[in-house]
Every structure is written in C-alpha cells, then in structure tokens.
Amino acid sequence: MNAWLQAVLWVLMILVVMLANGSLIIYMLRKVLGAAHLRIGPQELGPAGIFQLIPDIIKLLTKEDRHPNNSDRWLYILAPIIIFLPVLVAFGFLPFGYRMVAADINMGIMMMIAFIALVPLGVFAAGWASHNKYSLIGAIRSIAATITYEIPLLLSVIPVVIMAGSLNLSEIVLAQANSIWFVIPALPSAIIFLICAQMETNQAPFDMTEAEGELVAGFSTEYSAMRFGFIFLAEFAGNFVLAGLAVTLFLGGWTLPGVDPATMGILAPVVFVIKTYAVIFLFMMVRGNFSRFRIDRLAQMGWKRMIPFTLVWTIVFAIGYRAFQLWQPSLGSLLTSVFGGGG
C-alpha cells in the first residue's frame, strides 16, 4: 500500500476512535458518577439514556460560535486546535495489537509524552486569547499543576524502560508478555503514574482548571459551540491516551497471560480497549469519591513529595536492578548446586 494512503487511513481511523471514545466516555462518566453519588443519570431518552448524546451533539453543532470582544482572534481560534492536535498525534503511538500501531518507532514512549506535554501551550493560548482575567487565571493554574506532575510522570516510566531495555512501546509490551515478574517491581511506578495521569487529564481531585470560588470554567470559559467541543473531545481523548499508556507500560498491553502475543489477531485490540476502559473507570471512581485539593496543597504534594519520592525510587530501582543482573548468574549457580546439583 502507498505510504501516504496508509498514513491517511491511520489518521482517519484515529479520528473515528477519538470521536467514538469521546461519546462513550461522556455516557460512561454520567453513569459512573451518577451511581457513585446516588444521582439519577441520563435515563429518559432511549434505553438507559443511551440516546441523550444525540441532542448533546446537535446542541454543540448548532449553538452560536462567537468570540469575546477585544480577544486575540487568531490565537483564540487556534487554541482548541493546539490542544486537540497533540492528543491526536499521541494516539498514533499506542500499540493496539501485534504490529497494530500507526507509528512503531524506537523512541515511541518519549515522543508520546513529548506531544502530551504540548497541550498546556494550547491551554495557555486559550486563556490568554480570551481577554478574560478568569480564563487567564484558570489557564495559569492548570499549567502550573500540569507541569508539576509531568516530572514524576516521566520519571515513573524509567523503571519500565530499564526492565524492557527499550523505548519502543511494542517491545515493552512483548517484554511484559515474556516475564511474569515484570509487574511486581513496577508497582510503585504504576501507582505514581496513575496519580500523575489523573492530574494530567484535569480530573478531580486534581482539577485545578476551575476554582471553588469562581463560577466559571477556567481557561475555556469564553468558548462555545464546537470550539468548546474540541477542547473537551481532546480532554476525553487524553483520558484514553494516558489510560492506554498505563495499560501498555504496566498491564501487558494487548497481551494475555499464557497466550502467544503473535497469535492473538483481532482479539488483541479488544483486550487492549477493555483494559484501557478499566483504567478509565478507575479514574472516574477516584474523581467521584475524593474531594478537590487546594492549589497550594496540590503544589506541595507534587514538588515536596511526588518528585523527591520518584527520584529516590528511580535511583534505588536502577541500582537494585543492576545488582540483580550482576548477581543473577551467581544466584543461579548457587540454587542449582543446592537443589539440582549432583545430576
């Protein structure tokens, strides 16, 4: 197949997945939070309220699309695109199955995190261009929290990379499939990663975009219609991307225990999506059951606890793993002589 045609097909497929994912997460969020808070979720329009999404989409498509007076017009228009495009590109690095990945490159995990890190630029552009002090304050607050937790997020990936010996996401998945002990030393990193991912996706209890004392929506206050829709489509897509990355790094990706990854075929993306939505469900339950942090407490936890702990854990893990590699032949010889020697 022509390389350009293949690239276009991958982009179209990713767009379809993003749209379907956004619709499903909206419905899922309403149902999960409704159950967690003992509230009535959407249940009138269609079976279990599944058709409620249709008028929501029509509303976004038909509302008046306007921009505030004295705003930076072009930056105001570009900001939702700047937020949306990095998440779209990050989708391309997720391996949905054996050789089922749009961009299977050696630096896949670094490229994916690098594109996710571009989202705060769009957030700041939206707040600045809106010519609204509350939008600007919300943008700065969101960026401050995001940058704080991007550092431990990146550091938490290092132990997995050390064990897999690769930055390629597909190879990391295969390394987990070949070792049943992979998840045990990676457990502290997984906990750190999930906490930081909750922050990166602007979900409670780490949602600093909207302050308790402001009846506004942070950096997106002045957006309406499909520009508003683009911002939140990117947010819901970001949920899937980071949950999918957590599955890829810590939960074996598309693989199943005892099953050859190369033989899973069409079952692989099904397994990957199920695991990813299980992590998204965990995000939603945390969001629905914990109260929001104050911004100063959030910053203190990030800079004074999360970053130092992650640095120490990464150093300890690297030293311990290297020592294990050096002593493994000696340990193997000792165990053989004690339990299997003399044969």
Side-chain angles (χ1 to χ4, degrees):
M1 184 184 296
N2 181 274
W4 284 102
L5 178 59
Q6 188 176 6
V8 170
L9 290 176
W10 269 112
V11 170
L12 291 175
M13 189 192 75
I14 290 171
L15 282 172
V16 170
V17 171
M18 287 183 72
L19 292 171
N21 170 72
S23 303
L24 182 57
I25 288 185
I26 290 172
Y27 178 77
M28 182 178 173
L29 182 63
R30 285 170 170 168
K31 284 297 185 180
V32 171
L33 294 186
H37 296 165
L38 299 178
R39 298 181 299 176
I40 297 176
Q43 62 177 10
E44 300 295 337
L45 194 56
I50 60 174
F51 296 148
Q52 178 61 43
L53 188 64
I54 297 174
D56 290 341
I57 294 174
I58 293 174
K59 178 180 69 175
L60 286 175
L61 291 172
T62 56
K63 285 184 71 174
E64 181 182 4
D65 184 15
R66 60 185 302 277
H67 62 276
N69 296 331
N70 301 319
S71 64
D72 188 327
R73 181 178 178 84
W74 288 109
L75 190 58
Y76 177 86
I77 293 171
L78 287 174
I81 300 173
I82 298 172
I83 295 172
F84 179 80
L85 282 181
V87 182
L88 174 66
V89 176
F91 254 100
F93 299 104
L94 280 178
F96 283 77
Y98 187 69
R99 295 181 179 176
M100 296 182 187
V101 54
D104 192 16
I105 61 176
N106 291 332
M107 296 287 289
I109 188 169
M110 298 304 296
M111 292 295 293
M112 191 171 182
I113 293 176
F115 276 103
I116 292 172
L118 292 175
V119 173
L121 294 176
V123 171
F124 182 74
W128 177 267
S130 294
H131 196 68
N132 180 320
K133 64 180 180 181
Y134 292 108
S135 296
L136 180 58
I137 292 171
I140 294 172
R141 188 167 48 232
S142 180
I143 292 167
T146 301
I147 291 174
T148 301
Y149 284 83
E150 277 179 355
I151 299 171
L153 178 77
L154 180 59
L155 291 172
S156 68
V157 170
I158 295 176
V160 178
V161 173
I162 291 173
M163 286 191 290
S166 174
L167 291 167
N168 184 297
L169 289 169
S170 296
E171 292 180 7
I172 290 174
V173 172
L174 294 176
Q176 294 175 71
N178 295 328
S179 175
I180 61 173
W181 304 108
F182 195 98
V183 70
I184 296 175
L187 185 59
S189 296
I191 295 172
I192 294 167
F193 184 93
L194 290 173
I195 293 173
C196 296
Q198 188 89 7
M199 174 63 250
E200 285 288 318
T201 52
N202 282 326
Q203 296 193 69
F206 307 123
D207 178 16
M208 289 296 105
T209 300
E210 304 172 26
E212 296 290 351
E214 300 171 7
L215 299 178
V216 292
F219 70 90
S220 60
T221 298
E222 297 293 347
Y223 283 88
S224 62
M226 278 310 297
R227 299 194 201 282
F228 178 86
F230 260 110
I231 291 172
F232 278 88
L233 179 61
E235 181 177 318
F236 293 139
N239 287 349
F240 187 93
V241 166
L242 284 170
L245 185 57
V247 168
T248 302
L249 295 175
F250 305 105
L251 298 177
W254 73 85
T255 62
L256 289 173
V259 180
D260 184 359
T263 63
M264 292 193 63
I266 194 64
L267 181 62
V270 176
V271 171
F272 179 81
V273 169
I274 291 173
K275 288 182 179 181
T276 300
Y277 274 99
V279 175
I280 292 173
F281 176 77
L282 176 63
F283 287 161
M284 291 180 179
M285 290 301 294
V286 172
R287 174 176 180 166
N289 288 282
F290 290 89
S291 58
R292 183 180 289 166
F293 279 79
R294 267 183 9 211
I295 183 66
D296 60 321
R297 298 290 178 85
L298 183 68
Q300 287 179 7
M301 189 177 80
W303 288 105
K304 293 185 178 181
R305 293 178 178 83
M306 294 289 290
I307 294 176
F309 175 80
T310 312
L311 282 169
V312 171
W313 162 243
T314 303
I315 294 169
V316 170
F317 177 87
I319 295 171
Y321 189 77
R322 182 56 180 164
F324 174 77
Q325 285 183 317
L326 294 173
W327 294 339
Q328 190 175 19
S330 301
L331 290 172
S333 300
L334 177 62
L335 292 173
T336 301
S337 63
V338 172
F339 297 104

